[in-house]
Each structure stands twice: as structure tokens, then as C-alpha cells.
Short mmCIF file of all heavy atoms in Angstrom, two decimals:
data_model
loop_
_atom_site.label_atom_id
_atom_site.label_comp_id
_atom_site.label_asym_id
_atom_site.label_seq_id
_atom_site.Cartn_x
_atom_site.Cartn_y
_atom_site.Cartn_z
N MET A 1 -16.56 54.83 46.70
CA MET A 1 -15.87 55.66 47.64
C MET A 1 -14.41 55.78 47.21
O MET A 1 -13.77 54.79 46.90
CB MET A 1 -15.98 55.04 49.04
CG MET A 1 -15.24 55.80 50.07
SD MET A 1 -15.43 55.26 51.79
CE MET A 1 -15.97 53.62 51.75
N SER A 2 -13.89 57.01 47.18
CA SER A 2 -12.50 57.20 46.79
C SER A 2 -11.88 58.30 47.64
O SER A 2 -12.57 59.06 48.31
CB SER A 2 -12.41 57.55 45.31
OG SER A 2 -13.01 58.80 45.07
N HIS A 3 -10.56 58.37 47.60
CA HIS A 3 -9.82 59.37 48.35
C HIS A 3 -9.00 60.21 47.38
O HIS A 3 -8.39 59.69 46.46
CB HIS A 3 -8.87 58.71 49.36
CG HIS A 3 -9.56 58.02 50.47
ND1 HIS A 3 -10.07 56.76 50.34
CD2 HIS A 3 -9.85 58.42 51.73
CE1 HIS A 3 -10.63 56.40 51.48
NE2 HIS A 3 -10.50 57.38 52.34
N ASP A 4 -8.98 61.49 47.59
CA ASP A 4 -8.15 62.42 46.84
C ASP A 4 -7.49 63.37 47.84
O ASP A 4 -7.80 63.36 49.02
CB ASP A 4 -8.98 63.24 45.85
CG ASP A 4 -9.35 62.46 44.61
OD1 ASP A 4 -8.62 61.51 44.27
OD2 ASP A 4 -10.36 62.81 43.99
N ILE A 5 -6.58 64.19 47.33
CA ILE A 5 -5.97 65.22 48.16
C ILE A 5 -6.50 66.56 47.66
O ILE A 5 -6.52 66.82 46.46
CB ILE A 5 -4.44 65.18 48.09
CG1 ILE A 5 -3.94 63.86 48.67
CG2 ILE A 5 -3.82 66.36 48.83
CD1 ILE A 5 -2.44 63.67 48.60
N ALA A 6 -6.94 67.41 48.58
CA ALA A 6 -7.48 68.71 48.20
C ALA A 6 -7.24 69.71 49.33
O ALA A 6 -6.93 69.33 50.45
CB ALA A 6 -8.98 68.59 47.92
N ASP A 7 -7.40 70.99 48.99
CA ASP A 7 -7.32 72.05 49.98
C ASP A 7 -8.72 72.30 50.51
O ASP A 7 -9.64 72.59 49.75
CB ASP A 7 -6.77 73.33 49.36
CG ASP A 7 -5.33 73.19 48.92
OD1 ASP A 7 -4.58 72.47 49.60
OD2 ASP A 7 -4.95 73.79 47.90
N CYS A 8 -8.88 72.22 51.82
CA CYS A 8 -10.19 72.44 52.44
C CYS A 8 -10.45 73.95 52.53
O CYS A 8 -9.60 74.69 53.02
CB CYS A 8 -10.21 71.81 53.82
SG CYS A 8 -11.77 72.09 54.70
N PRO A 9 -11.63 74.41 52.09
CA PRO A 9 -11.93 75.84 52.20
C PRO A 9 -12.16 76.29 53.64
O PRO A 9 -12.04 77.47 53.94
CB PRO A 9 -13.19 76.01 51.36
CG PRO A 9 -13.79 74.65 51.28
CD PRO A 9 -12.68 73.66 51.42
N LYS A 10 -12.45 75.38 54.54
CA LYS A 10 -12.73 75.75 55.93
C LYS A 10 -11.45 75.80 56.77
O LYS A 10 -11.14 76.83 57.37
CB LYS A 10 -13.72 74.78 56.55
CG LYS A 10 -14.12 75.17 57.96
CD LYS A 10 -15.16 74.22 58.52
CE LYS A 10 -15.50 74.62 59.95
NZ LYS A 10 -16.38 73.64 60.56
N CYS A 11 -10.70 74.70 56.83
CA CYS A 11 -9.51 74.66 57.70
C CYS A 11 -8.24 75.05 56.96
O CYS A 11 -7.17 75.17 57.58
CB CYS A 11 -9.36 73.29 58.34
SG CYS A 11 -8.92 71.95 57.20
N LYS A 12 -8.32 75.24 55.63
CA LYS A 12 -7.20 75.69 54.80
C LYS A 12 -6.02 74.72 54.76
O LYS A 12 -4.92 75.08 54.39
CB LYS A 12 -6.68 77.07 55.24
CG LYS A 12 -7.72 78.14 55.34
CD LYS A 12 -8.28 78.46 53.99
CE LYS A 12 -9.22 79.67 54.13
NZ LYS A 12 -10.30 79.65 53.21
N GLN A 13 -6.25 73.47 55.15
CA GLN A 13 -5.17 72.49 55.12
C GLN A 13 -5.33 71.58 53.93
O GLN A 13 -6.44 71.28 53.49
CB GLN A 13 -5.17 71.67 56.41
CG GLN A 13 -4.77 72.47 57.61
CD GLN A 13 -4.39 71.58 58.77
OE1 GLN A 13 -4.25 70.38 58.64
NE2 GLN A 13 -4.23 72.19 59.93
N ARG A 14 -4.20 71.13 53.41
CA ARG A 14 -4.22 70.16 52.32
C ARG A 14 -4.24 68.78 52.97
O ARG A 14 -3.35 68.45 53.75
CB ARG A 14 -2.98 70.30 51.45
CG ARG A 14 -2.95 69.28 50.31
CD ARG A 14 -1.93 69.66 49.32
NE ARG A 14 -2.44 70.83 48.62
CZ ARG A 14 -2.27 71.07 47.34
NH1 ARG A 14 -1.57 70.26 46.61
NH2 ARG A 14 -2.77 72.14 46.79
N ASP A 15 -5.26 68.01 52.67
CA ASP A 15 -5.43 66.73 53.33
C ASP A 15 -6.20 65.80 52.40
O ASP A 15 -6.71 66.21 51.36
CB ASP A 15 -6.20 66.92 54.64
CG ASP A 15 -6.00 65.78 55.62
OD1 ASP A 15 -5.35 64.79 55.26
OD2 ASP A 15 -6.50 65.88 56.75
N PHE A 16 -6.27 64.56 52.78
CA PHE A 16 -7.10 63.61 52.04
C PHE A 16 -8.56 63.99 52.20
O PHE A 16 -8.98 64.48 53.25
CB PHE A 16 -6.91 62.19 52.57
CG PHE A 16 -5.64 61.55 52.13
CD1 PHE A 16 -4.59 61.40 53.01
CD2 PHE A 16 -5.49 61.09 50.84
CE1 PHE A 16 -3.41 60.81 52.61
CE2 PHE A 16 -4.32 60.50 50.43
CZ PHE A 16 -3.27 60.36 51.32
N VAL A 17 -9.33 63.79 51.16
CA VAL A 17 -10.77 63.98 51.23
C VAL A 17 -11.44 62.68 50.83
O VAL A 17 -10.94 61.94 49.98
CB VAL A 17 -11.28 65.14 50.34
CG1 VAL A 17 -10.80 66.46 50.87
CG2 VAL A 17 -10.86 64.95 48.91
N LEU A 18 -12.55 62.39 51.44
CA LEU A 18 -13.32 61.20 51.17
C LEU A 18 -14.46 61.59 50.24
O LEU A 18 -15.27 62.44 50.59
CB LEU A 18 -13.85 60.63 52.48
CG LEU A 18 -14.78 59.44 52.41
CD1 LEU A 18 -14.01 58.22 51.90
CD2 LEU A 18 -15.34 59.15 53.79
N LYS A 19 -14.52 61.01 49.03
CA LYS A 19 -15.58 61.32 48.08
C LYS A 19 -16.60 60.20 48.08
O LYS A 19 -16.26 59.06 47.87
CB LYS A 19 -15.02 61.51 46.67
CG LYS A 19 -14.13 62.70 46.55
CD LYS A 19 -13.86 63.11 45.13
CE LYS A 19 -13.34 62.01 44.25
NZ LYS A 19 -12.94 62.44 42.93
N GLU A 20 -17.84 60.56 48.32
CA GLU A 20 -18.90 59.57 48.35
C GLU A 20 -20.24 60.25 48.10
O GLU A 20 -20.51 61.32 48.65
CB GLU A 20 -18.91 58.88 49.72
CG GLU A 20 -19.87 57.74 49.83
CD GLU A 20 -19.73 57.01 51.16
OE1 GLU A 20 -18.77 57.23 51.89
OE2 GLU A 20 -20.61 56.22 51.44
N ASN A 21 -21.06 59.66 47.26
CA ASN A 21 -22.42 60.14 47.00
C ASN A 21 -22.46 61.60 46.56
O ASN A 21 -23.29 62.37 47.00
CB ASN A 21 -23.31 59.94 48.22
CG ASN A 21 -23.46 58.50 48.59
OD1 ASN A 21 -23.40 57.62 47.74
ND2 ASN A 21 -23.64 58.23 49.87
N GLY A 22 -21.54 62.01 45.69
CA GLY A 22 -21.57 63.37 45.16
C GLY A 22 -21.15 64.43 46.17
O GLY A 22 -21.49 65.59 46.01
N GLU A 23 -20.42 64.05 47.19
CA GLU A 23 -20.00 65.02 48.18
C GLU A 23 -18.64 64.59 48.74
O GLU A 23 -18.34 63.42 48.82
CB GLU A 23 -21.10 65.11 49.24
CG GLU A 23 -20.72 65.28 50.64
CD GLU A 23 -21.93 65.42 51.56
OE1 GLU A 23 -22.84 66.22 51.27
OE2 GLU A 23 -21.97 64.71 52.57
N TRP A 24 -17.79 65.56 49.05
CA TRP A 24 -16.52 65.21 49.67
C TRP A 24 -16.48 65.74 51.08
O TRP A 24 -17.14 66.70 51.41
CB TRP A 24 -15.30 65.62 48.85
CG TRP A 24 -15.02 67.08 48.65
CD1 TRP A 24 -15.33 67.83 47.55
CD2 TRP A 24 -14.33 67.95 49.55
NE1 TRP A 24 -14.88 69.10 47.71
CE2 TRP A 24 -14.27 69.22 48.93
CE3 TRP A 24 -13.78 67.82 50.80
CZ2 TRP A 24 -13.67 70.32 49.53
CZ3 TRP A 24 -13.18 68.91 51.40
CH2 TRP A 24 -13.13 70.13 50.76
N GLU A 25 -15.68 65.06 51.90
CA GLU A 25 -15.57 65.42 53.31
C GLU A 25 -14.09 65.54 53.66
O GLU A 25 -13.30 64.63 53.38
CB GLU A 25 -16.21 64.36 54.19
CG GLU A 25 -16.08 64.64 55.67
CD GLU A 25 -16.72 63.57 56.54
OE1 GLU A 25 -17.36 62.65 55.98
OE2 GLU A 25 -16.57 63.65 57.76
N CYS A 26 -13.71 66.66 54.26
CA CYS A 26 -12.33 66.85 54.72
C CYS A 26 -12.10 65.91 55.89
O CYS A 26 -12.85 65.92 56.87
CB CYS A 26 -12.11 68.31 55.15
SG CYS A 26 -10.48 68.61 55.86
N LEU A 27 -11.06 65.08 55.80
CA LEU A 27 -10.78 64.14 56.87
C LEU A 27 -10.06 64.81 58.05
O LEU A 27 -9.88 64.19 59.09
CB LEU A 27 -9.95 62.97 56.35
CG LEU A 27 -10.64 62.15 55.25
CD1 LEU A 27 -9.73 61.03 54.78
CD2 LEU A 27 -11.96 61.60 55.72
N ASN A 28 -9.69 66.08 57.89
CA ASN A 28 -9.05 66.83 58.97
C ASN A 28 -10.09 67.49 59.87
O ASN A 28 -10.04 67.35 61.09
CB ASN A 28 -8.10 67.88 58.39
CG ASN A 28 -7.32 68.60 59.46
OD1 ASN A 28 -6.76 67.98 60.34
ND2 ASN A 28 -7.31 69.91 59.38
N CYS A 29 -11.05 68.23 59.28
CA CYS A 29 -12.03 68.97 60.09
C CYS A 29 -13.47 68.51 59.87
O CYS A 29 -14.39 69.09 60.43
CB CYS A 29 -11.92 70.46 59.79
SG CYS A 29 -12.51 70.95 58.15
N GLN A 30 -13.68 67.51 59.01
CA GLN A 30 -15.00 66.94 58.72
C GLN A 30 -15.94 67.92 58.01
O GLN A 30 -17.15 67.76 58.03
CB GLN A 30 -15.69 66.39 59.98
CG GLN A 30 -15.14 65.07 60.47
CD GLN A 30 -13.75 65.19 61.05
OE1 GLN A 30 -13.46 66.13 61.78
NE2 GLN A 30 -12.88 64.26 60.72
N TYR A 31 -15.39 68.96 57.37
CA TYR A 31 -16.21 69.88 56.57
C TYR A 31 -16.71 69.12 55.35
O TYR A 31 -15.94 68.43 54.68
CB TYR A 31 -15.38 71.09 56.15
CG TYR A 31 -16.07 72.01 55.19
CD1 TYR A 31 -17.08 72.86 55.62
CD2 TYR A 31 -15.72 72.03 53.84
CE1 TYR A 31 -17.71 73.72 54.73
CE2 TYR A 31 -16.34 72.88 52.95
CZ TYR A 31 -17.35 73.72 53.40
OH TYR A 31 -17.97 74.55 52.52
N LYS A 32 -17.99 69.24 55.03
CA LYS A 32 -18.58 68.55 53.88
C LYS A 32 -18.94 69.56 52.81
O LYS A 32 -19.36 70.68 53.10
CB LYS A 32 -19.83 67.77 54.30
CG LYS A 32 -19.50 66.60 55.20
CD LYS A 32 -20.73 65.77 55.49
CE LYS A 32 -20.34 64.60 56.37
NZ LYS A 32 -21.49 63.73 56.63
N HIS A 33 -18.76 69.14 51.55
CA HIS A 33 -19.03 70.01 50.41
C HIS A 33 -19.57 69.17 49.27
O HIS A 33 -19.01 68.12 48.94
CB HIS A 33 -17.73 70.70 49.99
CG HIS A 33 -17.84 71.54 48.76
ND1 HIS A 33 -18.53 72.73 48.75
CD2 HIS A 33 -17.36 71.36 47.51
CE1 HIS A 33 -18.45 73.25 47.54
NE2 HIS A 33 -17.76 72.43 46.77
N LYS A 34 -20.67 69.61 48.65
CA LYS A 34 -21.22 68.88 47.51
C LYS A 34 -20.33 69.11 46.30
O LYS A 34 -19.87 70.20 46.05
CB LYS A 34 -22.63 69.36 47.20
CG LYS A 34 -23.66 68.83 48.14
CD LYS A 34 -25.03 68.94 47.53
CE LYS A 34 -25.98 68.20 48.42
NZ LYS A 34 -26.59 67.09 47.76
N ILE A 35 -20.09 68.04 45.54
CA ILE A 35 -19.31 68.13 44.32
C ILE A 35 -20.25 68.55 43.19
O ILE A 35 -21.28 67.92 42.96
CB ILE A 35 -18.66 66.77 43.98
CG1 ILE A 35 -17.72 66.35 45.10
CG2 ILE A 35 -17.93 66.85 42.65
CD1 ILE A 35 -17.17 64.95 44.93
N LEU A 36 -19.88 69.63 42.53
CA LEU A 36 -20.70 70.11 41.43
C LEU A 36 -20.57 69.17 40.24
O LEU A 36 -19.56 68.51 40.06
CB LEU A 36 -20.26 71.52 41.02
CG LEU A 36 -20.36 72.59 42.11
CD1 LEU A 36 -19.77 73.89 41.60
CD2 LEU A 36 -21.80 72.78 42.53
N LYS A 37 -21.58 69.13 39.40
CA LYS A 37 -21.57 68.26 38.23
C LYS A 37 -20.39 68.60 37.32
O LYS A 37 -19.77 67.72 36.76
CB LYS A 37 -22.87 68.39 37.44
CG LYS A 37 -24.08 67.88 38.16
CD LYS A 37 -24.10 66.39 38.15
CE LYS A 37 -25.39 65.91 38.79
NZ LYS A 37 -25.42 64.51 39.01
N THR A 38 -20.05 69.88 37.19
CA THR A 38 -18.96 70.27 36.30
C THR A 38 -17.61 69.80 36.85
O THR A 38 -16.72 69.50 36.10
CB THR A 38 -18.92 71.80 36.11
OG1 THR A 38 -18.84 72.43 37.39
CG2 THR A 38 -20.14 72.28 35.38
N GLU A 39 -17.45 69.73 38.19
CA GLU A 39 -16.20 69.27 38.77
C GLU A 39 -15.96 67.80 38.46
O GLU A 39 -14.88 67.40 38.07
CB GLU A 39 -16.19 69.46 40.29
CG GLU A 39 -16.15 70.91 40.73
CD GLU A 39 -16.27 71.05 42.23
OE1 GLU A 39 -16.21 70.02 42.94
OE2 GLU A 39 -16.43 72.18 42.70
N SER A 40 -16.98 66.97 38.63
CA SER A 40 -16.81 65.54 38.38
C SER A 40 -16.80 65.25 36.89
O SER A 40 -16.11 64.35 36.44
CB SER A 40 -17.92 64.75 39.07
OG SER A 40 -19.18 65.12 38.59
N ALA A 41 -17.53 66.01 36.09
CA ALA A 41 -17.58 65.77 34.65
C ALA A 41 -16.26 66.13 33.98
O ALA A 41 -15.86 65.48 33.02
CB ALA A 41 -18.72 66.57 34.02
N SER A 42 -15.57 67.14 34.48
CA SER A 42 -14.31 67.54 33.85
C SER A 42 -13.25 66.46 34.01
O SER A 42 -12.45 66.23 33.12
CB SER A 42 -13.82 68.87 34.42
OG SER A 42 -13.48 68.72 35.78
N SER A 43 -13.22 65.78 35.14
CA SER A 43 -12.23 64.72 35.32
C SER A 43 -12.55 63.52 34.44
O SER A 43 -11.66 62.86 33.92
CB SER A 43 -12.16 64.28 36.78
OG SER A 43 -13.36 63.70 37.19
N GLU A 44 -13.84 63.23 34.22
CA GLU A 44 -14.23 62.15 33.33
C GLU A 44 -13.87 62.48 31.89
O GLU A 44 -13.45 61.61 31.14
CB GLU A 44 -15.72 61.87 33.45
CG GLU A 44 -16.12 61.26 34.78
CD GLU A 44 -17.63 61.12 34.92
OE1 GLU A 44 -18.34 61.33 33.92
OE2 GLU A 44 -18.08 60.80 36.02
N THR A 45 -14.02 63.74 31.49
CA THR A 45 -13.70 64.16 30.13
C THR A 45 -12.22 64.00 29.86
O THR A 45 -11.83 63.55 28.78
CB THR A 45 -14.12 65.63 29.92
OG1 THR A 45 -15.50 65.76 30.21
CG2 THR A 45 -13.86 66.07 28.49
N LYS A 46 -11.37 64.34 30.82
CA LYS A 46 -9.92 64.18 30.64
C LYS A 46 -9.57 62.71 30.45
O LYS A 46 -8.76 62.36 29.60
CB LYS A 46 -9.17 64.75 31.84
CG LYS A 46 -9.22 66.25 31.93
CD LYS A 46 -8.50 66.73 33.17
CE LYS A 46 -8.68 68.22 33.35
NZ LYS A 46 -8.09 68.68 34.61
N THR A 47 -10.17 61.84 31.23
CA THR A 47 -9.90 60.41 31.12
C THR A 47 -10.36 59.89 29.76
O THR A 47 -9.64 59.11 29.13
CB THR A 47 -10.61 59.65 32.25
OG1 THR A 47 -10.18 60.16 33.50
CG2 THR A 47 -10.31 58.17 32.18
N ASP A 48 -11.52 60.31 29.33
CA ASP A 48 -12.03 59.86 28.04
C ASP A 48 -11.14 60.33 26.89
O ASP A 48 -10.91 59.59 25.94
CB ASP A 48 -13.46 60.36 27.82
CG ASP A 48 -14.45 59.67 28.75
OD1 ASP A 48 -14.10 58.60 29.28
OD2 ASP A 48 -15.56 60.21 28.93
N ALA A 49 -10.62 61.54 26.96
CA ALA A 49 -9.76 62.07 25.90
C ALA A 49 -8.45 61.29 25.84
O ALA A 49 -7.97 60.96 24.76
CB ALA A 49 -9.50 63.55 26.14
N ILE A 50 -7.88 60.97 26.99
CA ILE A 50 -6.63 60.21 27.02
C ILE A 50 -6.87 58.80 26.48
O ILE A 50 -6.06 58.27 25.71
CB ILE A 50 -6.06 60.18 28.45
CG1 ILE A 50 -5.57 61.57 28.83
CG2 ILE A 50 -4.93 59.17 28.56
CD1 ILE A 50 -5.18 61.70 30.29
N THR A 51 -7.97 58.18 26.86
CA THR A 51 -8.30 56.84 26.37
C THR A 51 -8.46 56.85 24.86
O THR A 51 -7.96 55.95 24.16
CB THR A 51 -9.59 56.33 27.03
OG1 THR A 51 -9.42 56.36 28.44
CG2 THR A 51 -9.94 54.94 26.58
N LEU A 52 -9.14 57.85 24.33
CA LEU A 52 -9.32 57.97 22.89
C LEU A 52 -7.98 58.15 22.18
O LEU A 52 -7.73 57.53 21.13
CB LEU A 52 -10.25 59.13 22.56
CG LEU A 52 -10.54 59.37 21.08
CD1 LEU A 52 -11.27 58.19 20.48
CD2 LEU A 52 -11.33 60.64 20.90
N LEU A 53 -7.10 58.96 22.73
CA LEU A 53 -5.80 59.18 22.13
C LEU A 53 -4.97 57.90 22.10
O LEU A 53 -4.36 57.57 21.08
CB LEU A 53 -5.05 60.27 22.91
CG LEU A 53 -3.69 60.68 22.38
CD1 LEU A 53 -3.83 61.31 21.00
CD2 LEU A 53 -3.02 61.63 23.34
N VAL A 54 -4.96 57.15 23.19
CA VAL A 54 -4.20 55.90 23.25
C VAL A 54 -4.79 54.88 22.28
O VAL A 54 -4.05 54.19 21.57
CB VAL A 54 -4.18 55.34 24.69
CG1 VAL A 54 -3.63 53.93 24.73
CG2 VAL A 54 -3.36 56.25 25.60
N ALA A 55 -6.10 54.77 22.21
CA ALA A 55 -6.74 53.83 21.29
C ALA A 55 -6.42 54.18 19.84
O ALA A 55 -6.14 53.29 19.03
CB ALA A 55 -8.25 53.83 21.51
N THR A 56 -6.41 55.46 19.51
CA THR A 56 -6.07 55.89 18.15
C THR A 56 -4.63 55.52 17.81
O THR A 56 -4.33 55.06 16.70
CB THR A 56 -6.28 57.41 18.01
OG1 THR A 56 -7.63 57.73 18.35
CG2 THR A 56 -5.99 57.88 16.60
N PHE A 57 -3.73 55.71 18.77
CA PHE A 57 -2.32 55.36 18.57
C PHE A 57 -2.15 53.86 18.33
O PHE A 57 -1.41 53.45 17.43
CB PHE A 57 -1.51 55.82 19.78
CG PHE A 57 -0.05 55.51 19.67
CD1 PHE A 57 0.77 56.19 18.78
CD2 PHE A 57 0.52 54.53 20.47
CE1 PHE A 57 2.12 55.90 18.68
CE2 PHE A 57 1.87 54.23 20.38
CZ PHE A 57 2.67 54.92 19.48
N VAL A 58 -2.84 53.04 19.10
CA VAL A 58 -2.74 51.59 18.94
C VAL A 58 -3.28 51.16 17.59
O VAL A 58 -2.66 50.34 16.89
CB VAL A 58 -3.49 50.86 20.09
CG1 VAL A 58 -3.62 49.38 19.82
CG2 VAL A 58 -2.77 51.10 21.41
N VAL A 59 -4.39 51.71 17.16
CA VAL A 59 -4.96 51.37 15.85
C VAL A 59 -4.00 51.81 14.74
O VAL A 59 -3.79 51.07 13.76
CB VAL A 59 -6.35 52.03 15.67
CG1 VAL A 59 -6.83 51.93 14.22
CG2 VAL A 59 -7.36 51.38 16.61
N ALA A 60 -3.40 52.98 14.88
CA ALA A 60 -2.44 53.45 13.87
C ALA A 60 -1.24 52.51 13.79
O ALA A 60 -0.74 52.23 12.69
CB ALA A 60 -1.99 54.87 14.21
N LEU A 61 -0.78 52.00 14.92
CA LEU A 61 0.33 51.04 14.91
C LEU A 61 -0.05 49.76 14.19
O LEU A 61 0.74 49.23 13.40
CB LEU A 61 0.76 50.72 16.34
CG LEU A 61 1.64 51.76 17.04
CD1 LEU A 61 1.90 51.35 18.48
CD2 LEU A 61 2.95 51.94 16.30
N PHE A 62 -1.25 49.24 14.44
CA PHE A 62 -1.70 48.04 13.75
C PHE A 62 -1.76 48.25 12.24
O PHE A 62 -1.34 47.38 11.48
CB PHE A 62 -3.06 47.58 14.27
CG PHE A 62 -3.00 46.81 15.56
CD1 PHE A 62 -3.72 47.23 16.66
CD2 PHE A 62 -2.22 45.66 15.67
CE1 PHE A 62 -3.67 46.51 17.85
CE2 PHE A 62 -2.18 44.95 16.85
CZ PHE A 62 -2.89 45.39 17.94
N ILE A 63 -2.29 49.38 11.83
CA ILE A 63 -2.38 49.68 10.39
C ILE A 63 -0.99 49.78 9.79
O ILE A 63 -0.72 49.25 8.70
CB ILE A 63 -3.21 50.97 10.15
CG1 ILE A 63 -4.68 50.70 10.53
CG2 ILE A 63 -3.08 51.43 8.72
CD1 ILE A 63 -5.54 51.94 10.51
N MET A 64 -0.09 50.45 10.50
CA MET A 64 1.27 50.62 10.00
C MET A 64 1.95 49.26 9.83
O MET A 64 2.58 48.98 8.82
CB MET A 64 2.09 51.50 10.95
CG MET A 64 3.48 51.80 10.46
SD MET A 64 4.40 52.86 11.57
CE MET A 64 4.73 51.72 12.91
N PHE A 65 1.83 48.38 10.82
CA PHE A 65 2.45 47.06 10.74
C PHE A 65 1.80 46.20 9.65
O PHE A 65 2.47 45.39 9.03
CB PHE A 65 2.39 46.33 12.09
CG PHE A 65 3.35 46.87 13.10
CD1 PHE A 65 2.92 47.20 14.37
CD2 PHE A 65 4.69 47.07 12.79
CE1 PHE A 65 3.80 47.70 15.32
CE2 PHE A 65 5.59 47.55 13.72
CZ PHE A 65 5.15 47.89 14.98
N ALA A 66 0.51 46.39 9.41
CA ALA A 66 -0.15 45.63 8.36
C ALA A 66 0.39 46.00 6.98
O ALA A 66 0.57 45.14 6.12
CB ALA A 66 -1.66 45.86 8.42
N PHE A 67 0.65 47.28 6.76
CA PHE A 67 1.16 47.73 5.44
C PHE A 67 2.64 47.43 5.29
O PHE A 67 3.09 47.12 4.20
CB PHE A 67 0.89 49.22 5.22
CG PHE A 67 -0.54 49.51 4.87
CD1 PHE A 67 -1.32 50.30 5.70
CD2 PHE A 67 -1.11 49.00 3.72
CE1 PHE A 67 -2.63 50.59 5.37
CE2 PHE A 67 -2.42 49.26 3.39
CZ PHE A 67 -3.18 50.07 4.22
N VAL A 68 3.40 47.54 6.35
CA VAL A 68 4.83 47.30 6.28
C VAL A 68 5.11 45.81 6.23
O VAL A 68 6.04 45.37 5.58
CB VAL A 68 5.57 47.97 7.48
CG1 VAL A 68 7.03 47.60 7.52
CG2 VAL A 68 5.42 49.47 7.41
N GLY A 69 4.32 45.01 6.92
CA GLY A 69 4.47 43.56 6.91
C GLY A 69 5.54 43.08 7.83
O GLY A 69 6.24 42.11 7.55
N VAL A 70 5.70 43.72 8.94
CA VAL A 70 6.73 43.32 9.91
C VAL A 70 6.31 42.08 10.65
O VAL A 70 5.23 41.81 10.97
CB VAL A 70 7.01 44.47 10.91
CG1 VAL A 70 7.96 44.02 12.01
CG2 VAL A 70 7.55 45.65 10.18
#
């Protein structure tokens, strides 16, 4: 279970939403909406790309220090 901020399509207010079991619920008007696979997959892809970039940077630093001998 997690909380995010989103614009509700029903009440048009920006509020916290409760995400659970592939569906979010507006905490203002209790409107429920199923989360599409592409919506949840896109956020996971962004996280994976950032993790890969940071890991590559750390490995490059180790290699650089190994050759320089600091």
C-alpha cells in the first residue's frame, strides 16, 4: 500500500491517492480507478534506468581508481 498525489478525474482536485491491489482511490471523493499495466510499468522502468546508471558510474569509479592507484 502506498500514497501518491494525483489529480482525480471525478472531483478534479489534487489530493493524496491510496494505491493498493492495482487500483487507486481518491481520498477526497473515494473515486476508484484501476491502474493500467503501462502506468505502473513506466515508473518501474524509470527506477531501473536510474539504478543502472548509478551502478555503471560506481563501477567506472572503481576501475578508474584501480588504474590510477589512489
Side-chain angles (χ1 to χ4, degrees):
M1 177 174 21
S2 65
H3 292 82
D4 282 335
I5 296 178
D7 294 325
C8 178
K10 184 177 178 186
C11 69
K12 307 294 186 212
Q13 291 196 11
R14 179 166 289 217
D15 201 354
F16 284 105
V17 291
L18 175 67
K19 294 195 307 187
E20 186 174 348
N21 298 330
E23 143 177 311
W24 66 261
E25 178 181 354
C26 175
L27 299 179
N28 184 48
C29 70
Q30 284 70 42
Y31 173 75
K32 292 185 179 183
H33 175 71
K34 283 199 171 243
I35 299 173
L36 300 175
K37 293 284 185 189
T38 55
E39 291 175 9
S40 61
S42 65
S43 65
E44 291 175 9
T45 303
K46 289 178 187 175
T47 303
D48 291 342
I50 291 171
T51 304
L52 180 64
L53 182 65
V54 170
T56 303
F57 180 71
V58 169
V59 168
L61 282 175
F62 279 124
I63 292 172
M64 184 178 72
F65 286 130
F67 284 118
V68 173
V70 174

